[in-house]
């Protein structure tokens, strides 16, 4: 398995995952970039696949060279310390992936929840605005009529009343009518 593709080289060659190979890796900055790009699920999937490949490669190398390593080590404790170090680094990598996953998915879920809430608030605001415009049109009509019957109005007042009724009907039909102002 000596000629297998190096998973660490694959991570370094991948433009999305390359920051993980950098010693100055900033998890928060990476999470912000991934959340901003909307690639969270894809990045986590690719990272998990690379981690599985690294684990498989490490196991393969250890299995392939186990006898040589034991023979060259001379002392079992030195080998155990090296294996423990590799295991600790693998655990740290898994932990880092879990933190990044939490850093990416937590804010993403919160953003989705806030966006849904904002959408519902905008819908409610639109309904309230339409109701206020309708109420304004009704008050305007009452002002034009001022307690008189339509037969008592002159042509200018009748035209104004007809215009106000048209605005009220447009609001009631969902057209929105005017901006709620004007006379």
């Amino acid at each position: 398995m000596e000629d297998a593709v190096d998973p660490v080289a694959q991570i370094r060659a991948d433009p999305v995952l390359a920051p993980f190979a950098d010693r100055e890796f900033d998890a928060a900055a990476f999470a912000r970039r991934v959340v901003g790009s909307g690639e969270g699920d894809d990045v986590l999937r690719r990272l998990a696949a690379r981690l599985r490949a690294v684990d498989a490669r490490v196991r393969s190398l250890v299995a392939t060279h186990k006898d040589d390593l034991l023979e060259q080590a001379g002392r079992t404790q030195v080998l155990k310390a090296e294996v423990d170090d590799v295991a600790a680094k693998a655990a740290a990598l898994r932990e880092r992936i879990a933190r990044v996953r939490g850093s990416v998915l937590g804010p993403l879920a919160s953003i989705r929840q806030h966006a849904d809430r904002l959408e519902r608030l905008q819908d409610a605001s639109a309904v309230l605005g339409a109701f206020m415009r309708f109420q304004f049109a009704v008050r305007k009509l009452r002002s034009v009529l001022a307690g008189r019957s339509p037969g008592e109005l002159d042509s200018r007042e009748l035209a104004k009343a007809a215009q106000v009724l048209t605005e009220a009907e447009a609001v009631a039909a969902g057209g929105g009518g005017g901006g709620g102002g004007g006379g």
Side-chain angles (χ1 to χ4, degrees), residues 117-139:
R117 188 177 299 153
L118 180 60
E119 186 177 344
R120 288 190 306 270
L121 186 62
Q122 286 174 331
D123 291 344
S125 177
V127 168
L128 255 155
F131 177 74
M132 289 174 67
R133 286 189 301 276
F134 183 77
Q135 208 173 24
F136 178 78
V138 168
R139 273 192 247 124

Side-chain angles (χ1 to χ4, degrees), residues 10-177:
Q10 288 178 335
I11 290 173
R12 286 190 176 122
D14 188 327
V16 174
L17 302 179
F20 280 96
D22 186 15
R23 290 197 182 273
E24 302 299 324
F25 176 72
D26 181 3
F30 181 80
R32 282 191 300 274
R33 183 176 61 82
V34 169
V35 167
S37 70
E39 300 177 341
D41 293 335
D42 182 52
V43 170
L44 290 173
R45 182 185 47 73
R46 289 165 62 185
L47 195 54
R50 294 293 187 243
L51 179 60
R52 286 190 300 274
V54 167
D55 276 345
R57 183 71 173 142
V58 166
R59 283 189 197 107
S60 169
L61 287 173
V62 168
T64 302
H65 300 289
K66 181 177 162 185
D67 293 336
D68 293 338
L69 290 172
L70 289 173
E71 187 176 77
Q72 293 173 5
R75 290 182 11 196
T76 308
Q77 298 220 349
V78 172
L79 178 59
K80 182 179 178 346
E82 289 177 18
V83 168
D84 288 346
D85 185 46
V86 169
K89 287 179 181 177
L93 181 59
R94 284 189 197 102
E95 187 177 313
R96 182 180 275 179
I97 289 171
R99 276 196 319 266
V100 168
R101 177 182 213 119
S103 296
V104 170
L105 293 181
L108 183 62
S110 177
I111 288 169
R112 285 180 179 153
Q113 184 180 25
H114 289 332
D116 291 344
R117 188 177 299 153
L118 180 60
E119 186 177 344
R120 288 190 306 270
L121 186 62
Q122 286 174 331
D123 291 344
S125 177
V127 168
L128 255 155
F131 177 74
M132 289 174 67
R133 286 189 301 276
F134 183 77
Q135 208 173 24
F136 178 78
V138 168
R139 273 192 247 124
K140 206 156 110 178
L141 183 58
R142 282 186 183 146
S143 165
V144 169
L145 291 176
R148 300 177 291 174
S149 69
E152 299 173 18
L153 301 176
D154 64 21
S155 62
R156 187 182 64 78
E157 291 171 323
L158 277 174
K160 178 111 176 156
Q163 178 186 2
V164 170
L165 277 174
T166 302
E167 289 175 13
E169 287 175 348
V171 170

